[in-house]
Amino acid sequence: MNWQEERDATLRDARCVVVKVGTAVLSNGRDLNLDVLDNLVEQLSVLSGQGRRVVLVSSGAVGAGRTALRKLPGAPEAVGLSGKQAAAAVGQGRLMHLYDNAFSRRGLLTAQVLLTRDDLKSRTRFLNIRNTFSELLSWGVIPVVNENDTVSVNELKFSDNDNLSSLLVNPLEADLFVNLTSIGGVLDANPLENPEARIMPCIEDIRALNLDALCGGKSAEGTGGMYSKLLSAHRVAQLGVPTAILPGREADVITRLFAGETLGTWVRPERRTVSRRKYWLAYQADPQGTLVLDAGAADAVRHHGKSLLPGGITDVQGGFEAGALVRLVFGHETVGVGLSNYNAADLLRIKGLKRHEVAAILGDAHYPEVVHRDNLLLDAAL
């Protein structure tokens, strides 16, 4: 199928849809834009009425909190991490109240779900989240998801709701990821460097894109923007799930897409998909260290389905324990990520050695592989 046929088939058959909306779409620059929010709820209600399971991932709690705080005497400013977390605590209930009322007017019930990255990092909690969502969706309830900003710390933050959404696609077993943006779609060049940049109706192979060049690099804060949207689209493409990046401020943009109109940018899924376990393994946490490979090891891992052995490692960077997620690199390229069977200190002792040499240092009770191929995801979108 060409991409239009693939898109039409996906839209026709999609049973579970994850929709993400950010502050840039919901806000008018100072306050929440209630017309945009109400129109979004109307569109999701239409999808639900068609028998589709809908999950909404929504930012806006901090903005809603700041709006409320301006009404207090002295109008306190929410600055710094603690200020933002306090503003989120003030605003999350207000944001949820708006969604709850808007869906209720259309005869639908909502559920608030607040998550930290630690919730998805634990396999037990990950499975519990999957079961909870499954029950809610079977009841026809609309889960409204956000990061639990009030309790999140930097080490356990998703970094942005694009990332959170891409991780939820896995346990939800979603068929489509819709990411609403404040512009018309993905431009074919950096508009700061090329004012003639045009929206791409389809991205055939997202792995082939140079995101740094296209988006001007990742923002200093690493949050939001087209960079994180494309990174998330790359991730879910590995699961075989397409992404529709749509102009979220346009009226009825989601229902128009499902009605067959060409809008925004369609990101095609990959043909060779990864297992849901490997997807969870690779993205449930940030890599704790880096293993530098020689050319032979990089080729064996990349092209021949081999595990990483000690002899193929030329350098070990960072401090980490056995079982930690590590990045595998060759030159300036990331080969993949995987779980290390060794801690950093032991790897520094055995890097570059053959199996019998490793045994002489560590004894017979050692792993033959540093990273087993079953615990390795190639071409990870980091």
Side-chain angles (χ1 to χ4, degrees):
M1 290 190 292
N2 61 33
W3 73 267
Q4 292 101 331
E5 292 171 332
E6 177 188 82
R7 177 199 61 194
D8 294 345
T10 297
L11 295 173
R12 181 187 66 243
D13 299 333
R15 307 317 307 157
C16 182
V17 182
V18 174
V19 178
K20 182 264 175 179
V21 61
T23 303
V25 172
L26 289 176
S27 172
N28 58 18
R30 182 174 175 82
D31 300 309
L32 290 178
N33 188 323
L34 299 185
D35 290 335
V36 170
L37 186 147
D38 192 69
N39 184 251
L40 172 60
V41 169
E42 173 63 25
Q43 296 176 76
L44 301 188
S45 300
V46 170
L47 293 186
S48 178
Q50 295 170 347
R52 307 179 197 269
R53 297 182 169 196
V54 179
V55 176
L56 174 62
V57 180
S58 176
S59 305
V62 175
R66 283 173 169 160
T67 297
L69 289 169
R70 285 198 292 269
K71 300 175 183 177
L72 290 179
E77 292 187 32
V79 296
L81 177 60
S82 61
K84 287 182 65 178
Q85 290 182 315
V90 171
Q92 184 60 46
R94 286 163 172 77
L95 179 65
M96 194 63 208
H97 180 69
L98 292 171
Y99 278 125
D100 196 48
N101 282 346
F103 277 109
S104 179
R105 289 195 298 270
R106 295 162 173 90
L108 291 169
L109 192 63
T110 61
Q112 178 177 248
V113 182
L114 299 177
L115 298 172
T116 68
R117 196 162 187 174
D118 201 36
D119 295 321
L120 296 179
K121 184 177 180 181
S122 162
R123 188 65 179 171
T124 301
R125 289 157 75 176
F126 173 90
L127 295 174
N128 188 57
I129 287 169
R130 184 179 69 180
N131 293 337
T132 299
F133 272 104
S134 178
E135 198 76 11
L136 289 170
L137 294 171
S138 73
W139 295 340
V141 173
I142 307 291
V144 181
V145 187
N146 197 1
E147 179 159 15
N148 195 345
D149 292 305
T150 304
V151 301
S152 290
V153 295
N154 286 335
E155 292 79 8
L156 294 178
K157 286 183 71 65
F158 294 102
S159 77
D160 55 64
N161 274 343
D162 295 315
N163 185 21
L164 168 57
S165 304
S166 70
L167 295 177
L168 278 179
V169 164
N170 184 18
L172 293 171
E173 299 186 10
D175 305 300
L176 174 65
F177 178 33
V178 176
N179 203 334
L180 302 178
T181 179
S182 56
I183 60 176
V186 182
L187 298 173
D188 59 7
N190 186 342
L192 298 178
E193 299 174 357
N194 182 0
E196 302 299 320
R198 297 176 179 272
I199 291 173
M200 294 184 283
C202 176
I203 297 174
E204 294 277 355
D205 181 7
I206 193 166
R207 287 195 301 171
L209 292 183
N210 184 332
L211 297 190
D212 287 330
L214 192 66
C215 305
K218 192 173 184 178
S219 65
E221 298 81 10
T223 60
M226 193 54 71
Y227 187 103
S228 66
K229 287 175 175 56
L230 289 173
L231 197 65
S232 297
H234 183 175
R235 288 181 175 182
V236 302
Q238 293 177 311
L239 282 174
V241 177
T243 297
I245 299 176
L246 303 178
R249 291 175 182 164
E250 287 192 23
D252 304 323
V253 67
I254 299 174
T255 48
R256 287 158 55 198
L257 174 75
F258 274 84
E261 190 173 338
T262 297
L263 295 157
T265 300
W266 183 265
V267 183
R268 300 192 76 172
E270 294 187 6
R271 292 293 173 260
R272 291 188 61 187
T273 60
V274 304
S275 70
R276 294 188 180 276
R277 176 188 170 275
K278 281 195 174 186
Y279 189 90
W280 170 81
L281 176 153
Y283 299 128
Q284 46 83 15
D286 292 325
Q288 301 301 299
T290 299
L291 306 182
V292 182
L293 313 188
D294 63 23
D299 180 67
V301 168
R302 240 182 200 155
H303 303 297
H304 302 286
K306 301 297 185 180
S307 301
L308 175 63
L309 306 180
I313 300 173
T314 63
D315 193 19
V316 179
Q317 300 171 0
F320 51 87
E321 298 300 318
L325 187 71
V326 293
R327 185 191 305 251
L328 279 57
V329 303
F330 174 64
H332 298 292
E333 296 183 354
T334 295
V335 175
V337 294
L339 300 183
S340 174
N341 286 327
Y342 294 94
N343 62 39
D346 282 344
L347 281 178
L348 285 169
R349 298 168 64 197
I350 65 174
K351 64 181 177 68
L353 301 183
K354 299 184 183 302
R355 186 169 183 174
H356 70 275
E357 295 173 315
V358 173
I361 294 174
L362 300 181
D364 291 332
H366 68 276
Y367 293 95
E369 309 92 358
V370 175
V371 178
H372 194 279
R373 63 184 181 184
D374 291 344
N375 296 325
L376 170 67
L377 177 66
L378 299 175
D379 300 314
L382 301 175

